[in-house]
Amino acid sequence: MRTAAPLLAPIFRSDGQARLLSVVMLEGDEISLADLATRSGVAYPTAHREVARLIAAGILVERLVGRTRMLRANAASPLVPPLREILLIATGPVALLTEELAQIAGIHASFLYGSFAARMRGVDGDSPNDIDVMVIGTPDPELVYDACDRVEESVHRPVNATILTPDELEADSAFMTQVRASPVVPIVGELPWE
């Protein structure tokens, strides 16, 4: 089934296409079609059709290893650099924050919340001006803020970190009630209230 265009980057024909391209272009490694479908959360038949379109457009290239189709961005295509930049801004925060925060000791979980997370989850609204990330645990705050600064440079939006200990997360507050009731996007670990 075809999904709607992603709210953060409606130039893509579907959310599935944007997720497939994000995995291929932002992670940069050659990937099998089956792994691409799994990592992007797109059904295999849909991934197969989208990949065929992207190969025909010269955006992706493939090589066969036995019966396995290995895919990567076409370095010779003039479309790849601007597409990569758009994807970095629209979907890159998840991949970049995952990479950055996974390296910091003391983080039990982290997730996006606020307007950016809401748009990623398909909730209509204005384009977000910033990216809110919640970090749960006892990491060195400077390491978290430095990681967010590096991501901010790449995605051209402010990345605001809120760091809470597990006890602070469990405390009753209007803020946490609102966060729990709103769309979130996991980054590292499991959502604490699942």
Side-chain angles (χ1 to χ4, degrees), residues 28-47:
D29 298 329
E30 190 175 50
I31 186 170
S32 73
L33 179 57
D35 286 345
L36 176 58
T38 299
R39 288 184 23 204
S40 62
V42 173
Y44 184 86
T46 302

Side-chain angles (χ1 to χ4, degrees), residues 19-69:
R19 289 194 320 250
L20 288 165
L21 281 168
S22 292
V23 170
V24 172
M25 292 196 175
L26 298 181
E27 295 180 16
D29 298 329
E30 190 175 50
I31 186 170
S32 73
L33 179 57
D35 286 345
L36 176 58
T38 299
R39 288 184 23 204
S40 62
V42 173
Y44 184 86
T46 302
H48 188 272
R49 283 190 304 275
E50 288 294 341
V51 163
R53 286 183 186 103
L54 294 167
I55 290 170
I59 295 168
L60 298 182
V61 292
E62 71 175 332
R63 72 181 177 94
L64 293 176
V65 178
R67 294 175 48 148
T68 303
R69 295 174 70 187

